Amino acid sequence: MANDTLNSELLQILLAMAEGEKAAMHRLYVRTSRELYSLCFSFIQNREASEDVVHEVYLKAWNRAASYDQTKGTPMAWLTRIARNSAIDWIRAQKRRQTTGDDELIFVVDQSETAEEMLIRVEQSDIVRQQVENLASADANLIRSAYLRGMTYSEVANETGLPLGTVKTRIRRGLRIMRERMTYD
């Protein structure tokens, strides 16, 4: 008889929650928190984590109150199922988050540049600098401003007093000449 009264009360609370009544959430918590916390703790065995999971249970209950179906079970059975599933989800998430042991760290790939890659990059940089030096001095200065000093084409045009179209044309022409020379060398 006591269970019928509790389930009847919980049904009314869920209906009120489905309507968006915030006070109903407090009533649900007062009536069920002890049982749901105990259930979560029996799975998780950690007080703080169980409290967090119970909090999630009430959020889920609030968001899903309108979807509760009396024909599939009592309100307490519905809440218990949410709590049980939430506790199991928490346990699974913890297993996925476990840290890697030292033995497995050996297989972590080092993404830093190797000495050979650094030498190749420096050599290529020297080749590019030499190619810039071999250009006409006006074009070389424009390329240095744009690529070595990091200026935009507009900033180069403002600094040199040249029209923007002229700056773009000279830089493109210089880069094309450099590319052709590097391809044939």
Side-chain angles (χ1 to χ4, degrees), residues 134-145:
N134 291 338
L135 290 174
S137 63
D139 293 346
N141 288 335
L142 295 175
I143 289 173
R144 279 191 205 97
S145 294

Side-chain angles (χ1 to χ4, degrees), residues 16 59 67 101 110 122-123 148 153 165 179:
L59 288 175
S67 67
D110 183 8
V122 168
E123 185 178 297
L148 298 179
Y153 290 177
R179 186 173 30 255

Side-chain angles (χ1 to χ4, degrees), residues 7-8 38 49 94 119 145-146 154 174:
N7 283 316
S8 177
S38 295
Q94 296 310 302
L119 288 173
S145 294
S154 297

Side-chain angles (χ1 to χ4, degrees), residues 112-182:
S112 61
E113 185 176 51
T114 65
E116 182 182 11
E117 291 169 334
M118 184 176 70
L119 288 173
I120 291 170
R121 183 179 47 79
V122 168
E123 185 178 297
Q124 288 174 340
S125 296
D126 290 342
I127 292 169
V128 169
R129 276 193 210 97
Q130 184 60 44
Q131 290 298 327
V132 171
E133 296 302 321
N134 291 338
L135 290 174
S137 63
D139 293 346
N141 288 335
L142 295 175
I143 289 173
R144 279 191 205 97
S145 294
Y147 290 95
L148 298 179
R149 293 175 53 202
M151 297 173 68
T152 65
Y153 290 177
S154 297
E155 291 170 337
V156 174
N158 288 336
E159 183 179 87
T160 61
L162 295 171
L164 179 60
T166 302
V167 169
K168 289 180 179 180
T169 300
R170 286 187 179 175
I171 290 175
R172 283 190 201 119
R173 179 180 59 209
L175 293 174
R176 188 184 73 245
I177 292 169
M178 288 173 52
R179 186 173 30 255
E180 288 171 359
R181 288 180 183 167
M182 290 172 72

Side-chain angles (χ1 to χ4, degrees), residues 2-3 7 27 31 40 44-45 51-53 57 61 63 84 99 108 146 150 153 157 160 170 173 180 184:
N3 278 343
N7 283 316
R27 291 194 312 270
R31 297 294 293 153
C40 290
I44 298 171
Q45 298 295 309
E51 290 171 357
D52 290 343
V53 171
V57 169
N63 291 325
R84 177 186 171 278
T99 58
V108 175
Y153 290 177
T160 61
R170 286 187 179 175
R173 179 180 59 209
E180 288 171 359
Y184 293 118

Side-chain angles (χ1 to χ4, degrees), residues 53-89:
V53 171
V54 168
H55 181 260
E56 288 178 30
V57 169
Y58 286 109
L59 288 175
K60 290 175 182 177
W62 174 261
N63 291 325
R64 299 177 188 170
S67 67
Y68 169 70
D69 183 359
Q70 299 181 65
T71 63
K72 294 184 179 178
T74 65
M76 194 61 193
W78 182 73
L79 290 167
T80 301
R81 190 169 38 254
I82 293 173
R84 177 186 171 278
N85 292 342
S86 296
I88 291 170
D89 289 345

